[in-house]
Amino acid sequence: MHRISNAVRLLLLLIALGAFPAGAAPLQAQWEFRLLPGDAQGAAHPGLQQWRAATVPGSVHTDLLAHELIRDPYVGAPEAELQWIGLADWEYRARFDVDAASLAKAHAELRFDGLDTYAEVTLNGKPLLRADNAHRTWHARVEGRLRAKGNELQIVFRSPIRTLLPGVQAMPHRIAGNYPSPYGDEPKDAMVGNFARKPAYHFGWDWGPRYVTAGVWRGVDLQAWDAHRLTDVAVRTDALDAENAKLAVVLQVEQDAVAAPIAVDVEVRDPDGRSVARVQRTVELKPGRNSVDVPVELAKPRRWWPVGHGAQDRYTVQARLDGSADPVLAREQRIGLRAVELRREQDDKGGHGFAFVINGVPIFAKGANVIPFDAFPARVDAARLRQVLVAARDANMNMLRNWGGGYYEDDAFFDIADELGLLVWQDFMFGGGMQPGYDPAFRASVVAEARDNVRRLRHHPSIVLWCGNNEEETAWKDWGHGRDLKSADPAFAAKVWQGYVDLFGNDLRQVVSEDGLGVPYWSSSPSNDLDEKANDSTRGDKHYWQVWGNPALPVQAYLRETPRFMSEYGLQAWPAVATVDQIATRAEQRIDSPVIRAHQKFMAGEGNTRLLHYIELGYGTPKDFEDFIYLSQVMQADGIALAALHHRASRPYTMGSLYWQLNDVWPGASWSSVDYFGRWKALHYAARRFFAPVTVAALRDEGSTRVRLINDGAALDARWRLRVMDVEGKVLRRREQAVTLAAAGVTDIGTYADAELLAGADPARTVAVFELLQDGKVTARQVVGFVEAKDQVLPRQQLTSTLAIDGDHYRLRLHSAALVRAAWIDFGALDVQVEDNLLDLLPGETRDIAVRGPVDLVALREALKVKTLNDR
């Protein structure tokens, strides 16, 4: 009945496909796992101390699921019964052989790209390393400790809760955490998540479950070499314009105890694969670590641009030592040549702008925030990343913000972003609350983590910002975290804040400055980079949650908040019925059912009351749960469109609009526009329109509508049209005229009072239609109502639909006899792609929608449903 179980098993088969970083090869080993003998959880869960096959990369949850020892963590409401897993200690082991060639090498190293989190590693019975940071890469030298047959690697993972809880409980005053557990696995007043260098969302968030994982979550690699090895290649851009690129290819080479000369060969190939530069030289290596700079100059470089502004050309840089293709002596990287600046010009009112400038061109950032794609990261393969990132590109986005409460994504994420031209704002992995930056050991671990990840990812042209954390500064200054601690213990509060400044103001800034190849650093989001005020509309970036959050203002409040850069704002919606069917039976699909509440994490399960509040404000009371889903999606799409168009129409004062959020971590209610299974919500179809390169913003507030035309590109000639009509199609007023849209800017058409537009007509039966026409075709449209949707008088049953084969796809033809609002095309669980959705149709209008998918016409016709606001 619940198809998610099959999807989970399929993903388990795909784990190994995208889990290892470029250039690494997985250790060829047979992995097993068990509950550590003697663990306190053994009495309640007998039989788990025996060894069972494990999948690496993976996690204990996915291994237990694969053996059907737990039920699916996403189906129904199993969360409470699975919290014991995070309280247990687990053991993994791998048995492997080593070939004679590797054993003959002078040096050998095991590299662990992800150990989650408190791990004790032994090799052939002897201690190898202790790890305490899931975000770091761990290295251990193993020359002289390997044998040809039967090597055994053992890893004990200690419960992060049991490891950290005694120390947290011993603190006389605690620093603020994130979301307290409702399950009793840790005290609500002693949260450990902020002290663990582990994905914060594993401890639960307001859009995802609490599953405190353990395991080998990224690859393990064995590398062997003789006198020297090439450990890193970075390409620094020293100068770049349309005529010339001056680069330095920087090689990191490790040499053994004897100094020696070495031949270095660097070749650069252009985006078409042609060799455009080659430098060969001999350098003298000293014992230990060596940095070798090889200057390269390119004429007429093909620069990398964000989507919509130019091509995503990339070069390939290959470096070899001794002319060898051995992976320890050769590396190859794809790079994009681009200059990036975070422009923060001061205005005449004391404010500071916040604009990304790529290759000298200011870019209005259009996009969304990205959260982890799964509670269990190793299940995420490149195909799923591509599906969601392509959806972002197809919705006319050009920037994604990788939020700080998850993990640093695999290279595959950034390879796809590079290819698609999506700019990436990359947070360091701090999601909220406050961190123990006053602890030197904690800071040192974070610095090592930061260097690992900045160096791993710095060749990606998509990354245009490294940001210290998410919401920690505003939480301290605005939410009471700092005030409360100062009241309890002023000296400790000062120490905590100084630790914050040291870590996010100095340490991470220095790492990015030294290793980030010129990408700017920003200390927190939202902030003005440690200026006095953290969440300020006149300076820096802004998170705006007065709509949806507290005090839950109506969506029209978006029009009264004009930031320099809006990096978070959002409204919730449930995913499609087909998605809900995979987690809950139809009998369980009620707003207040335990399963539905379990998949609504906002307000600890009470979030549907907030969602219903916003639905009822604009659209009335839902008839049933299916109607609740539909209206939640319409409300979300309409509200975010209002905000995003306002941000875009405020250019150049505002230079970015990133809504919360793009994707989901599991199936449930959230702020996403693409659900866990990749289905587009209504918001995503709306985003393709409100983020379109050329569009119209007709924004009504307090009895008047301001109309502006938005253009991301070069100046262009067009026409704009206004028609005021009743719901039956009678045109009461019409105006049309030519206009030249300003290049990379906004053209203000004017402001129209309701009384002027209506001229006495019934506001409940009248709309204003604002359109932009290019070459005689309507390319953008907004239908503006004069009352809330729930108060509009819309004729019922005005839409007809027909489905037919049209070449290599199906054609859905919709025809409306009168005004139809928010038509939502739904084919249930059928695997089809709908060209457009969430449509307003004017009286007498016909729309043809392409439908693609591996289904037959009969099945398509049987599944088709079209919901509209007219039919409520």
Side-chain angles (χ1 to χ4, degrees):
M1 177 172 57
H2 295 302
R3 289 186 300 277
I4 186 174
S5 298
N6 294 331
V8 166
R9 291 185 177 91
L10 175 61
L11 285 168
L12 286 171
L13 295 175
L14 297 173
I15 283 172
L17 295 181
F20 294 91
L27 183 71
Q28 299 301 308
Q30 298 296 318
W31 286 90
E32 298 175 298
F33 83 111
R34 66 178 177 178
L35 182 70
L36 188 68
D39 187 271
Q41 298 296 325
H45 304 279
L48 291 184
Q49 292 93 345
Q50 71 183 59
W51 289 105
R52 290 178 170 84
T55 301
V56 169
S59 73
V60 66
H61 287 77
T62 51
D63 286 331
L64 290 168
L65 179 62
H67 288 280
E68 299 183 340
L69 296 169
I70 60 172
R71 61 183 175 127
D72 194 311
Y74 289 1
V75 176
E79 201 170 341
E81 70 192 57
L82 299 180
Q83 294 309 306
W84 66 272
I85 299 171
L87 291 170
D89 294 341
W90 298 91
E91 185 176 12
Y92 280 70
R93 73 180 180 189
R95 292 196 172 100
F96 63 98
D97 301 332
V98 180
D99 62 87
S102 296
L103 282 175
K105 301 286 186 182
H107 308 285
E109 180 181 86
L110 276 171
R111 189 183 75 200
F112 302 84
D113 290 321
L115 297 174
D116 182 14
T117 294
Y118 294 93
E120 301 156 13
V121 185
T122 61
L123 176 63
N124 295 329
K126 294 183 179 180
L128 187 65
L129 65 85
R130 296 174 70 95
D132 61 359
N133 188 327
H135 302 300
R136 285 183 61 177
T137 299
W138 297 90
H139 304 262
R141 298 294 285 267
V142 293
E143 55 262 29
R145 300 183 58 174
L146 297 171
R147 50 197 184 216
K149 299 290 184 181
N151 294 279
E152 185 168 281
L153 186 67
Q154 289 184 290
I155 310 174
V156 172
F157 291 98
R158 302 293 180 181
S159 162
I161 299 171
R162 287 165 48 192
T163 297
L164 293 170
L165 189 57
V168 174
Q169 289 181 310
M171 296 173 67
H173 301 288
R174 282 92 188 243
I175 58 177
N178 292 310
Y179 293 94
S181 172
Y183 304 114
D185 53 319
E186 73 177 8
K188 293 185 178 182
D189 64 345
M191 292 178 278
V192 306
N194 286 25
F195 298 85
R197 292 313 299 146
K198 170 181 176 60
Y201 78 105
H202 284 165
F203 294 92
W205 221 265
D206 61 0
W207 36 253
R210 179 182 174 92
Y211 289 127
V212 182
T213 60
V216 186
W217 76 282
R218 277 186 169 150
V220 182
D221 177 41
L222 174 63
Q223 189 176 77
W225 70 99
D226 281 321
H228 41 252
R229 63 171 172 167
L230 180 59
T231 60
D232 192 34
V233 174
V235 181
R236 188 181 70 239
T237 303
D238 293 329
L240 176 65
D241 56 30
E243 299 301 318
N244 190 52
K246 294 183 178 180
L247 312 175
V249 181
V250 184
L251 285 59
Q252 301 299 323
V253 184
E254 186 177 317
Q255 173 69 16
D256 65 12
V258 179
I262 189 171
V264 174
D265 184 348
V266 171
E267 183 180 16
V268 180
R269 297 192 296 273
D270 73 9
D272 299 321
R274 297 172 299 198
S275 180
V276 291
R278 188 170 186 180
V279 179
Q280 296 174 302
R281 62 172 55 179
T282 299
V283 298
E284 190 75 20
L285 297 181
K286 66 180 189 299
R289 296 178 180 176
N290 295 258
S291 183
V292 179
D293 283 30
V294 179
V296 175
E297 191 162 346
L298 304 177
K300 300 288 186 182
R302 292 159 64 175
R303 291 176 290 179
W304 183 94
W305 291 90
V307 61
H309 293 270
Q312 287 74 56
D313 286 325
R314 287 179 289 166
Y315 289 76
T316 300
V317 177
Q318 184 181 74
R320 295 173 183 261
L321 306 181
D322 295 332
S324 175
D326 187 326
V328 301
L329 299 175
R331 288 208 175 192
E332 185 173 282
Q333 284 185 342
R334 296 189 75 184
I335 65 167
L337 302 179
R338 58 94 181 93
V340 56
E341 173 193 355
L342 179 59
R343 187 168 292 173
R344 299 171 59 201
E345 293 177 335
Q346 185 168 351
D347 60 32
D348 56 6
K349 296 181 180 178
H352 290 271
F354 191 100
F356 289 93
V357 181
I358 309 299
N359 300 327
V361 177
I363 306 295
F364 188 99
K366 306 179 296 184
N369 290 258
V370 173
I371 63 169
F373 289 77
D374 204 291
F376 313 111
R379 298 204 304 195
V380 181
D381 64 352
R384 186 160 10 150
L385 295 174
R386 177 170 292 279
Q387 177 189 39
V388 177
L389 268 61
V390 167
R393 189 274 315 274
D394 289 350
N396 290 307
M397 297 183 186
N398 61 21
M399 175 175 275
L400 301 174
R401 173 178 174 241
N402 267 339
W403 169 81
Y407 52 88
Y408 304 93
E409 287 286 352
D410 284 350
D411 283 79
F413 179 98
F414 300 96
D415 286 337
I416 297 166
D418 293 346
E419 172 195 334
L420 299 177
L422 294 171
L423 303 173
V424 177
W425 166 320
Q426 179 63 52
D427 282 2
F428 286 101
M429 288 302 111
F430 297 91
M434 183 54 72
Q435 309 298 323
Y438 50 83
D439 178 359
F442 182 89
R443 281 176 55 197
S445 181
V446 171
V447 167
E449 160 197 325
R451 289 200 190 279
D452 282 349
N453 287 284
V454 171
R455 289 174 175 173
R456 174 173 69 91
L457 299 172
R458 61 186 171 182
H459 63 282
H460 292 284
S462 54
I463 298 178
V464 294
L465 186 72
W466 286 95
C467 179
N469 65 70
N470 171 78
E471 294 188 339
E472 293 200 5
E473 185 178 342
T474 192
W476 181 265
K477 293 179 176 179
D478 304 325
W479 301 357
H481 291 184
R483 178 199 63 221
D484 295 346
L485 192 57
K486 289 174 188 176
S487 175
D489 189 337
F492 183 53
K495 181 178 178 181
V496 170
W497 177 246
Q498 186 57 53
Y500 175 94
V501 173
D502 290 341
L503 180 58
F504 297 109
N506 301 323
D507 293 348
L508 295 180
R509 192 185 308 275
Q510 182 175 347
V511 169
V512 174
S513 175
E514 293 173 350
D515 293 330
L517 299 179
V519 171
Y521 174 78
W522 192 246
S523 62
S524 182
S525 179
S527 79
N528 195 35
D529 205 18
L530 281 168
D531 203 355
E532 181 177 353
K533 190 174 180 181
N535 198 13
D536 187 350
S537 292
T538 67
R539 298 180 296 175
D541 71 309
K542 177 81 173 181
H543 291 193
Y544 183 70
W545 287 105
Q546 280 68 40
V547 175
W548 180 264
N550 292 318
L553 298 175
V555 295
Q556 288 76 16
Y558 281 135
L559 300 178
R560 299 154 207 162
E561 182 66 40
T562 308
R564 306 311 296 255
F565 190 106
M566 188 70 89
S567 46
E568 276 194 28
Y569 63 101
L571 292 164
Q572 233 195 37
W574 273 84
V577 173
T579 291
V580 179
D581 283 343
Q582 295 180 264
I583 60 173
T585 66
R586 286 299 174 99
E588 293 167 330
Q589 292 181 27
R590 308 184 314 274
I591 289 177
D592 59 350
S593 81
V595 171
I596 294 302
R597 286 173 57 86
H599 288 260
Q600 167 59 275
K601 292 300 181 181
F602 183 66
M603 295 170 56
E606 299 292 336
N608 283 337
T609 60
R610 181 66 52 83
L611 188 49
L612 190 60
H613 164 74
Y614 275 94
I615 291 171
E616 290 182 334
L617 276 179
Y619 305 90
T621 301
K623 295 180 293 186
D624 51 31
F625 192 74
E626 187 172 341
D627 198 38
F628 175 67
I629 289 175
Y630 165 68
L631 291 179
S632 76
Q633 291 204 20
V634 174
M635 179 277 299
Q636 181 192 40
D638 286 351
I640 298 304
L642 195 71
L645 287 170
H646 169 60
H647 301 153
R648 294 189 68 195
S650 300
R651 180 177 182 164
Y653 184 89
T654 302
M655 284 301 291
S657 182
L658 309 179
Y659 65 73
W660 185 270
Q661 65 206 53
L662 176 64
N663 62 311
D664 272 336
V665 73
W666 77 328
S670 82
W671 297 261
S672 73
S673 60
V674 177
D675 78 16
Y676 177 77
F677 296 108
R679 295 184 174 106
W680 288 25
K681 293 182 183 176
L683 171 57
H684 210 75
Y685 289 98
R688 187 161 57 189
R689 292 189 283 269
F690 63 65
F691 280 151
V694 178
T695 194
V696 56
L699 304 176
R700 180 180 176 273
D701 187 30
E702 297 181 332
S704 65
T705 301
R706 186 176 179 187
V707 184
R708 284 159 289 183
L709 306 179
I710 298 167
N711 177 26
D712 285 343
L716 61 87
D717 293 328
R719 300 186 68 82
W720 73 272
R721 180 168 67 194
L722 162 66
R723 288 179 288 169
V724 180
M725 65 178 65
D726 68 18
V727 295
E728 305 292 347
K730 181 181 179 181
V731 177
L732 308 177
R733 179 181 175 184
R734 179 187 179 103
R735 181 181 175 186
E736 181 175 333
Q737 66 183 61
V739 63
T740 298
L741 275 64
V746 178
T747 303
D748 199 333
I749 295 300
T751 301
Y752 298 86
D754 286 358
E756 177 186 359
L757 292 172
L758 287 167
D762 182 356
R765 297 181 56 83
T766 308
V767 294
V769 182
F770 294 91
E771 294 171 314
L772 187 66
L773 296 88
Q774 296 173 264
D775 299 324
K777 296 181 180 180
V778 175
T779 56
R781 172 193 289 168
Q782 269 198 274
V783 178
V784 177
F786 297 97
V787 296
E788 296 288 355
K790 65 183 178 182
D791 298 321
Q792 279 190 313
V793 179
L794 297 172
R796 294 177 62 83
Q797 298 178 340
Q798 294 299 306
L799 195 65
T800 60
S801 62
T802 57
L803 266 167
I805 297 173
D806 188 3
D808 63 351
H809 63 275
Y810 299 104
R811 182 191 70 242
L812 172 62
R813 174 162 291 171
L814 299 178
H815 178 78
S816 59
L819 176 68
V820 169
R821 299 300 305 271
W824 178 251
I825 304 161
D826 188 3
F827 289 101
L830 292 184
D831 182 19
V832 297
Q833 295 78 47
V834 180
E835 177 187 28
D836 202 0
N837 216 330
L838 192 70
L839 305 170
D840 290 339
L841 282 84
L842 301 182
E845 184 174 14
T846 298
R847 290 285 303 274
D848 285 345
I849 309 295
V851 181
R852 292 179 169 86
V855 295
D856 62 53
L857 184 58
V858 173
L860 208 61
R861 285 172 172 163
E862 289 178 351
L864 173 64
K865 290 183 180 179
V866 183
K867 293 180 68 71
T868 75
L869 292 179
N870 299 56
D871 299 326
R872 300 198 64 259

